[in-house]
Amino acid sequence: MMKRTAPRSTLRKIIKKHKPQLRLAANADLLVHLNFLLFLHRLAEEARTNAFESKSKIIKPEHAIAAAKV
């Protein structure tokens, strides 16, 4: 489990760089970070399933790539 989060100011700068016209709520950066963590968790679960189906005990890059395509 991650113990540290991304620096909030850095995350807000990245969001503003890509979408400068957006007005962000106070907790928008936290929601983006949470969404990213949920995406990573789902990707890892799918990659683990792909590795298990191919009878591999190790998650290899091709398992993660195949999971990302889903």
Side-chain angles (χ1 to χ4, degrees):
M1 179 137 196
M2 278 183 52
K3 293 184 180 183
R4 287 183 21 175
T5 61
R8 292 184 68 182
S9 60
T10 304
L11 197 49
R12 289 182 75 80
K13 285 178 191 172
I14 292 169
I15 296 168
K16 280 294 195 183
K17 182 178 176 184
H18 288 284
K19 297 285 185 177
Q21 71 278 10
L22 289 181
R23 293 178 62 209
L24 297 177
N27 63 349
D29 52 317
L30 294 176
L31 294 173
V32 169
H33 186 68
L34 178 62
N35 196 20
F36 171 69
L37 291 177
L38 290 172
F39 166 75
L40 278 184
H41 186 267
R42 185 172 174 194
L43 182 68
E45 288 288 325
E46 191 68 31
R48 184 176 62 92
T49 303
N50 290 346
F52 182 76
E53 287 174 356
S54 64
K55 296 178 175 54
S56 175
K57 292 184 178 182
I58 299 171
I59 298 174
K60 298 178 180 171
E62 52 267 18
H63 299 135
I65 292 169
K69 290 181 181 177
V70 173

